[in-house]
Amino acid sequence: MDQKNKDLDKFLNFLSGKSKKTASKDGDSGDNVIKMSKKGPMNPKKYISFVVTLTAVFAIAIILFANIYIVKESEYAVVRQFGEVVKFQSEPGLKIKVPFIQSVTKLPKNQMTYEISEEEINTKDKKRIIIDNYAVWRITDPKLLISNAGTIEKVESRMEEFIYSVIRSELGRIEYTEIINDENSSRGSINDQVTERVNELLSNDKYGIEVVDVRIRRIDLPTENEQSVFTNMISDRESIAQKYLSEGDAQKRSIEAQTDKQVQELLAKAKKDAALIQAEGEAEAAKIYNKSFSQDPEFYSLYRTLESYKKTIGEDTVIILPSTSPYAKILSGYIK
């Protein structure tokens, strides 16, 4: 207990500043207290300076990393200063902007597809149709796009207005049957005309974009007009079909008549040629016969007689000849 009281007294004396007086009386423990008092109190300024320096380093690093940006191969980076476009980068790589006063907007380089809302228009013959189309477009000047449109959404909205206006104007000059007729379709040329005209409007307003292609994907009729239009289409097609059938029958009869005429002419010519050839052959045969038979008149007489018998004697013919007849002797095999 005495030792504990002594230690407590020493601690109280140290707190009250009496450590030097008690140090001479207390041997080794006094030495320890004197050594502690020689260190002196900690200096807070050193720690504050260290913390401030460390904080500044971290703040600079954070600001530096926050203002470093990466430009990818497939995008543009538009740098704005106090809202005004100062530059844009198209080359990929690591870039840096001025802290606090500059901001960066990323825009795509690749081609984009925009689905245009379905719209109802009137054709030249006052038919109402619903057009469903789309556009393929790309950014050509990011600076103009940001300066005049601000965002991709706004420039797409303007592009859609131009496309609808041009399509309504172009299809308004064409009749409905010409639009839907596959044989006389003008849709390909309409797409090209719409694309060209929309690009002119976008160029005039300097939006910094280009429409690569505008395509009409589908043409529909309003529900209330479908049946009447289909009925008219069926009637028109039946009329056209009947016209084709009539023209085909007339052409068929003309071809048949022409063919019959050619056949008759060919047959007549063939018969004439055959008669001439036959007459020439018979004349030539007669010459040959005359030449041959003139060499032996008796044989010729016999041959003519036999030929006459061949024509006059049939299967049921009965001939009565006297036995002294030369012909009977020949038939009986008697030849002298």
Side-chain angles (χ1 to χ4, degrees):
M1 290 293 295
D2 293 340
Q3 184 63 35
K4 287 182 178 180
N5 290 333
K6 287 180 180 181
D7 293 338
L8 181 58
D9 290 339
K10 289 178 181 180
F11 179 70
L12 293 174
N13 290 332
F14 173 75
L15 292 177
S16 61
K18 298 179 180 180
S19 57
K20 290 183 180 180
K21 295 180 181 179
T22 56
S24 58
K25 298 179 181 180
D26 294 334
D28 295 338
S29 60
D31 294 338
N32 292 334
V33 173
I34 289 170
K35 289 178 181 178
M36 289 178 62
S37 62
K38 283 182 178 180
K39 270 187 171 184
M42 294 177 62
N43 188 356
K45 292 183 178 180
K46 293 182 179 180
Y47 291 97
I48 292 173
S49 176
F50 175 74
V51 171
V52 170
T53 303
L54 188 60
T55 303
V57 171
F58 274 108
I60 292 171
I62 291 171
I63 292 172
L64 182 63
F65 282 111
N67 290 277
I68 291 176
Y69 59 94
I70 298 174
V71 179
K72 297 180 181 179
E73 186 73 29
S74 61
E75 65 184 10
Y76 297 107
V78 181
V79 180
R80 289 190 283 186
Q81 184 169 310
F82 299 115
E84 183 181 353
V85 177
V86 293
K87 63 179 178 178
F88 74 90
Q89 284 100 7
S90 58
E91 295 297 327
L94 194 64
K95 313 291 181 180
I96 188 168
K97 64 182 180 67
V98 179
F100 305 113
I101 65 173
Q102 289 184 343
S103 61
V104 178
T105 302
K106 301 289 185 66
L107 297 174
K109 267 186 185 179
N110 53 305
Q111 293 185 355
M112 292 166 282
T113 302
Y114 181 68
E115 300 289 337
I116 301 171
S117 304
E118 293 183 355
E119 296 290 348
E120 185 176 305
I121 65 172
N122 292 326
T123 61
K124 183 180 179 180
D125 50 351
K126 306 304 179 184
K127 294 289 193 307
R128 290 190 301 154
I129 59 176
I130 298 174
I131 298 295
D132 179 20
N133 52 9
Y134 68 93
V136 179
W137 67 284
R138 63 187 180 90
I139 298 172
T140 56
D141 193 330
K143 186 175 180 179
L144 288 178
L145 187 148
I146 295 297
S147 300
N148 297 328
T151 62
I152 288 181
E153 289 76 14
K154 290 182 180 179
V155 81
E156 284 182 334
S157 177
R158 292 295 296 156
M159 178 179 65
E160 181 176 3
E161 292 176 5
F162 289 149
I163 291 173
Y164 171 65
S165 175
V166 174
I167 287 180
R168 182 176 58 184
S169 174
E170 292 293 333
L171 295 186
R173 296 182 294 181
I174 302 174
E175 293 187 357
Y176 177 76
T177 54
E178 185 179 355
I179 296 174
I180 64 173
N181 191 347
D182 292 336
E183 295 180 0
N184 299 317
S185 178
S186 300
R187 190 178 302 179
S189 60
I190 290 176
N191 290 330
D192 297 338
Q193 292 170 10
V194 170
T195 301
E196 182 179 355
R197 179 59 183 152
V198 170
N199 279 325
E200 289 178 2
L201 296 174
L202 291 170
S203 177
N204 292 337
D205 288 352
K206 298 181 179 179
Y207 282 115
I209 67 171
E210 177 189 16
V211 175
V212 178
D213 195 12
V214 176
R215 288 288 160 183
I216 298 175
R217 180 164 42 202
R218 190 175 72 253
I219 298 178
D220 290 333
L221 294 168
T223 306
E224 62 272 16
N225 293 347
E226 284 184 355
Q227 189 58 46
S228 62
V229 172
F230 287 159
T231 302
N232 291 336
M233 289 173 61
I234 292 171
S235 177
D236 292 342
R237 292 300 178 272
E238 288 178 349
S239 176
I240 294 172
Q242 188 60 42
K243 178 182 176 183
Y244 287 157
L245 289 173
S246 300
E247 291 176 354
D249 288 339
Q251 190 173 5
K252 172 188 172 184
R253 289 192 293 270
S254 175
I255 293 172
E256 287 179 346
Q258 185 68 22
T259 303
D260 291 342
K261 180 181 177 182
Q262 291 177 357
V263 169
Q264 294 300 324
E265 290 176 353
L266 291 173
L267 288 175
K269 186 176 184 301
K271 288 180 180 179
K272 178 181 177 182
D273 293 342
L276 290 175
I277 293 171
Q278 185 176 0
E280 292 176 356
E282 290 178 351
E284 186 68 23
K287 290 180 180 179
I288 295 172
Y289 287 147
N290 290 333
K291 184 178 180 181
S292 300
F293 293 146
S294 63
Q295 295 177 2
D296 190 349
E298 294 181 358
F299 174 77
Y300 175 70
S301 177
L302 177 62
Y303 175 77
R304 294 296 293 175
T305 302
L306 294 175
E307 285 292 323
S308 66
Y309 290 159
K310 190 165 58 174
K311 293 181 179 179
T312 58
I313 298 175
E315 294 180 358
D316 298 328
T317 303
V318 178
I319 300 175
I320 299 174
L321 298 173
S323 59
T324 59
S325 171
Y327 184 60
K329 291 179 180 181
I330 293 173
L331 291 177
S332 61
Y334 177 76
I335 300 174
K336 185 177 179 181

